[in-house]
Amino acid sequence: MVVIPVLGQLADEYGRKPLLLLIVSTAIFPSAILAIDESKGFVYAYYVLRMISHIMSQGSIFCISAAYAADILDGRSRAAAFGWMHGILSLSHVLGNFLARLLPGSYIFEVSVALLIIAPMYMLIFLTETVKLTADVNQHLRWSSKAYQLVQDRYSSMRYALHVVTSSSTLKCICLVSFFYDMGMSGISSVLMYYLKSAFDFNKNQFSEILMMVGVGSIITQMLVFPLVNPLVGEKVVLRIALLASITYALLYGLAWASWVPYFGALFRMVYILERPSTNALVSKASSSSDQGKTQGVVAGAEAIGSFLAPLVMSPLTSWFLSSNAPFNCKGFSLICAAFALAMAFYFAWILPEAPSTQEENGESVETPLLA
C-alpha cells in the first residue's frame, strides 16, 4: 500500500531500469534459501525474505513495466501492449504450474533460482533507460542533510502524485474502480479453495484443472481478443464488460448449486481478466509522460488497500456461513457480498469520464510549485 506508490515515484525520478533491476532481484533470494537447505530455520528465513520480496515486487513490477511501455509507445499502441504484457504473465503462470507438476520436488527451488536470475540479467544487458536523469544537487551535503532532504523529497513527491490523481476526475474514478474491484476479487480468491472444498469437496486436482483452463483462456483473451476488440469499442467499454463478467462470476460461485457450476463460472474469469490491461491503458492515457510511474503507482496502491481489507472480512464470513451456526442456508453468501463490491466498481466505471489524451502541456507547471 505504501511501497508501490513510492517505487512508482522513484522510477519517474531515477529511471525505470535501476528500479526494475532492484525489485526483480529481490525475488531471487527466498528461493535461493530453500535451494541451499530446507530445514526448519531456513524455512522461517524463506518466509521472512519472501515477505520482504513481496513488499518490494508484488504489483510494482508491472506498475513500472507499464510506465516503461508508455515511454516507448504512443497512445494508440499502449492498450495492445498492456494486453500482451498481461497475457504473457498468464502464460508464465500456466507454464510455471505445468513445470512444477513435471519437476521432482527436490529440484523445484534450484530451477526457480535459475529462471529468476534470467530476468535481471536480460534487463541489465538489453533494457535501455528511457528517463533522462538530472544531476544530483545534494551530492555534496552531509549524510544527515541528505537523509532529511530524501524524506522531504519523498513527501513532496507523494503529495504531488496524490494531487495529480485527485485533480483528474478520470484518475479518481479509476482509483475507485481498482479499489472496489480488488476488494471483491481478492476477497473471493482468499477463500475460494476453502469454499470449494467445504461446499463441493473439491480436491487440489480439480482446483488445478480450473486454474489451467482459466490460464489458457486468459492468454487468448488478453493477447488476441483484447488488441482486436479495444480499437473498436475503447478501453471504457472493455472495462465495463470485464466488470460485468466479474459480477456474474462472483454470483455464480456464491449461488452454485452443483459441482459443475464452478467450472462454468470459470469461463467468466477469462473475460474479467481484461480489467487489468484496460485500467492500465486508461491510467496511461490520462497521465503525462513524466507522471506515468506516479499515477500507475497510486492506482496500484488503491488496489493494494482493497486486497488488504477484503480477507479481513471474507475469511470469518465464509467460515460462519459454512459452519452449522449459519443464520440461513447460503454457503456462498460471502462471495455474494463480494459481488456487491464488484457492482460498486462497475458503477464507477459506468460514470467514468472521458480521459484526455495527455496532460503533458500542464504537467510541469503543476509539479514545480509543489516540489519547490
Side-chain angles (χ1 to χ4, degrees):
M1 294 184 291
V2 177
V3 173
I4 294 177
V6 171
L7 290 174
Q9 298 162 26
L10 292 173
D12 283 341
E13 297 168 20
Y14 298 100
R16 319 290 189 211
K17 185 172 182 177
L19 267 297
L20 282 172
L21 284 171
L22 173 64
I23 59 181
V24 170
S25 299
T26 59
I28 299 172
F29 300 103
S31 293
I33 285 289
L34 288 189
I36 296 170
D37 196 336
E38 297 182 15
S39 62
K40 186 176 181 180
F42 279 79
V43 171
Y44 282 123
Y46 164 80
Y47 278 111
V48 171
L49 291 175
R50 182 173 170 82
M51 180 181 67
I52 296 171
S53 170
H54 272 229
I55 289 172
M56 293 291 294
S57 63
Q58 192 76 358
S60 58
I61 293 177
F62 196 92
C63 165
I64 299 175
S65 298
Y68 186 89
D71 291 341
I72 60 177
L73 297 171
D74 58 41
R76 292 169 297 179
S77 306
R78 289 176 190 172
F82 294 144
W84 270 77
M85 288 164 67
H86 282 285
I88 290 171
L89 188 62
S90 298
L91 176 61
S92 70
H93 285 164
V94 171
L95 293 177
N97 288 330
F98 181 71
L99 186 61
R101 283 171 168 261
L102 296 179
L103 284 172
S106 57
Y107 290 102
I108 285 179
F109 292 104
E110 286 84 350
V111 174
S112 174
V113 171
L115 293 173
L116 287 167
I117 289 174
I118 292 174
M121 290 298 296
Y122 176 87
M123 287 191 293
L124 186 65
I125 298 170
F126 296 107
L127 201 66
T128 304
E129 182 56 71
T130 56
V131 176
K132 295 180 180 179
L133 303 179
T134 57
D136 184 8
V137 297
N138 300 319
Q139 59 183 341
H140 300 299
L141 295 177
R142 294 183 301 175
W143 68 268
S144 56
S145 300
K146 282 184 178 181
Y148 173 75
Q149 189 63 43
L150 180 64
V151 173
Q152 192 176 46
D153 288 346
R154 285 306 100 229
Y155 170 74
S156 299
S157 187
M158 179 65 77
R159 191 163 60 117
Y160 170 65
L162 292 173
H163 173 78
V164 169
V165 173
T166 55
S167 62
S168 166
S169 56
T170 301
L171 291 174
K172 276 194 296 186
C173 262
I174 294 173
C175 277
L176 290 168
V177 169
S178 299
F179 171 76
F180 284 107
Y181 174 81
D182 266 73
M183 178 177 282
M185 296 314 304
S186 296
I188 293 172
S189 62
S190 65
V191 301
L192 190 57
M193 288 184 68
Y194 174 58
Y195 165 70
L196 291 177
K197 182 173 177 59
S198 299
F200 301 107
D201 200 29
F202 266 43
N203 56 39
K204 65 180 182 64
N205 289 333
Q206 289 171 295
F207 196 78
S208 178
E209 287 170 2
I210 292 177
L211 289 179
M212 292 289 285
M213 179 180 72
V214 168
V216 173
S218 298
I219 296 167
I220 295 171
T221 55
Q222 292 176 117
M223 299 181 72
L224 298 179
V225 177
F226 180 69
L228 292 174
V229 172
N230 185 70
L232 301 176
V233 298
E235 294 89 355
K236 286 173 63 176
V237 174
V238 174
L239 177 62
R240 291 166 184 169
I241 292 171
L243 291 172
L244 279 177
S246 71
I247 296 169
T248 307
Y249 168 83
L251 290 175
L252 280 173
Y253 271 72
L255 299 172
W257 56 92
S259 58
W260 62 266
V261 177
Y263 284 90
F264 175 69
L267 297 175
F268 291 90
R269 192 170 175 178
M270 303 175 192
V271 180
Y272 80 64
I273 202 75
L274 296 180
E275 184 272 344
R276 295 297 188 195
S278 56
T279 298
N280 289 132
L282 285 166
V283 173
S284 179
K285 186 182 291 186
S287 309
S288 68
S289 60
S290 60
D291 295 333
Q292 291 290 329
K294 297 181 184 70
T295 52
Q296 296 282 1
V298 171
V299 173
E303 295 171 357
I305 295 172
S307 298
F308 170 74
L309 294 176
L312 301 179
V313 177
M314 289 289 288
S315 295
L317 191 61
T318 303
S319 298
W320 187 23
F321 275 86
L322 287 173
S323 71
S324 57
N325 300 321
F328 51 88
N329 184 23
C330 183
K331 294 182 178 181
F333 181 73
S334 60
L335 278 70
I336 296 173
C337 292
F340 284 103
L342 295 169
M344 288 297 298
F346 178 76
Y347 166 74
F348 286 110
W350 187 260
I351 65 172
L352 186 68
E354 289 294 335
S357 59
T358 181
Q359 297 173 357
E360 187 70 42
E361 60 272 11
N362 59 9
E364 293 299 323
S365 61
V366 173
E367 183 175 14
T368 303
L370 284 170
L371 295 180

